Each structure stands twice: as C-alpha cells, then as structure tokens.
Amino acid sequence: MPDETSGYSEKGRLTAAGAQIDRYRIILDKDNFQPEEPHWRRISKNTVSLFQVLIDQDLKELVMVLEHYPRYIEWVCEHFRYAYSYSENEASIDAASRLLELGEPFFTKQFVRNLVRKLPRLDTMELERLKTFAEAVAAHHGQWHPIITNHYCDAIGESVESRKLHPLQRLAITGKIANITRIETFEYDAEDRDAVLDIPYMN
C-alpha cells in the first residue's frame, strides 16, 4: 500500500505556507508597485513599513514573502544597504543564505555587509558551543551560500586565535572545517564602502 503520510505532510506544509503569506496579501496585493520609479517611490508607504519590519527580524518571514513576491527582491536588497539603524536581532543562517541566493543579481558591498552583520556572532560562545557550531558549519556548508560559509570559517579561526587554547583544543575546533573548500563569489570586505552610496530620501 502507498504511504499516505508523506502526502498529508506535504499538504500540511503547503497549507501552513499559504496561511503565512495570507497575512501579507492585504498589503502587498494592494501595493501600486512602480518598478520604473526610484527606490523610495517604487512602493507604497505601507509596503515600506512592512519590509522595514521584516528586515529588522530574523529574515525567515522576509524570505518567505520574497519567494511569493519576487518583484520586491531588488527593493529589499537596495534597502538593506541603508540598514544601519536596525535592531540587534540576529538572522536565521538558513534564511540569510536564501536571501543571498535571491539577491545575487542585486549585490552591493553594503547590502552583503549589512546582511552578514545580522548573522549570529561567535565572540560570546563557550568553547564547547563553538566546537558544536564548527561541526554545524562542516555539515551545512554545501547548503549555505559561499559567503555564509566563508564568513564562518574566518570567524571560527579568529575566535580560536583570540582564546588561550592548547594546540589540541584548537585542532579539535578548526579541524572540523579544515576540509571545506573556500569558494569566492563576491568581494565585500574591502575598507571602502560602495563607490556611490546615495541616501535616496536625502536626494
């Protein structure tokens, strides 16, 4: 007999996803989207407020909305360039990785930097937690965007170097990521900002 459980499970996920996006349709379906207009005049004030809130959170909801309404991907990537005043809410790593995939055609240095700044930090992690995190990077690096993997390989190395550890303790952590091949995709960590970073609402 066929296993009907997987079918019910898939239907359940689709129903849940539909219920989630329905919360946003009342705003986005009424938005008079103007793709030919400059950034700040492209969408309505209500839609601007919505995306400002979504960018401020852990990005899971933001990515879900963009997957249903891809016309806003460029706007969000552009808006993320100016996201200096947002809260310290950390981003879901998986969601940040997906946003990088969606946003690749619209990369700017400041967009990528500001997104990376929202990733969970390692500087307050206890040693065992850092070791477990290195194991997670090794397990998921093929699923994450290379920018995420590179960032965390660098961050793990820096965190290990900053601690007074026995060589075997260092190896126990850095050995977890030693076989990850670095894939360079986009240079965003130079000292300069974007060549031209005009603030739209000031023009």
Side-chain angles (χ1 to χ4, degrees), residues 21 32 60 73 83 87 89 91-92 96 100 103 109 112 126 130 137 162 166 175 189 195-196 199-200:
I21 195 62
N32 184 22
K60 292 178 185 176
I73 293 173
S87 72
N89 292 328
S92 155
L100 286 170
K109 291 180 179 180
V112 176
E126 298 292 339
L130 183 63
V137 172
S162 69
H166 186 279
D189 57 356
V196 177
I199 307 300

Side-chain angles (χ1 to χ4, degrees), residues 10-124:
E10 180 64 24
K11 289 178 183 177
R13 284 194 294 269
L14 292 173
T15 300
Q20 279 185 301
I21 195 62
D22 281 345
R23 293 184 293 169
Y24 302 103
R25 293 190 191 282
I26 191 171
I27 294 176
L28 298 177
D29 286 352
K30 293 180 179 179
D31 181 43
N32 184 22
F33 184 71
Q34 301 289 332
E36 72 283 353
E37 288 290 335
H39 172 70
W40 287 91
R41 293 199 292 269
R42 198 172 301 166
I43 64 181
S44 69
K45 291 182 179 179
N46 285 342
T47 309
V48 169
S49 297
L50 170 63
F51 279 117
Q52 285 176 331
V53 171
L54 292 176
I55 289 172
D56 194 35
Q57 302 306 311
D58 75 355
L59 305 187
K60 292 178 185 176
E61 293 279 298
L62 174 65
V63 166
M64 184 269 294
V65 169
L66 293 180
E67 288 178 335
H68 283 81
Y69 290 89
R71 68 188 184 189
Y72 294 107
I73 293 173
E74 181 179 6
W75 190 94
V76 166
C77 293
E78 180 71 7
H79 194 68
F80 229 114
R81 296 174 69 197
Y82 313 103
Y84 291 107
S85 61
Y86 289 95
S87 72
E88 295 300 317
N89 292 328
E90 291 185 338
S92 155
I93 297 175
D94 290 335
S97 176
R98 180 59 179 146
L99 182 55
L100 286 170
E101 293 172 2
L102 294 171
E104 276 197 347
F106 313 110
F107 273 4
T108 60
K109 291 180 179 180
Q110 288 302 128
F111 159 57
V112 176
R113 287 180 198 170
N114 286 342
L115 180 55
V116 169
R117 286 190 184 107
K118 284 185 69 68
L119 293 171
R121 298 174 62 88
L122 309 185
D123 49 5
T124 60

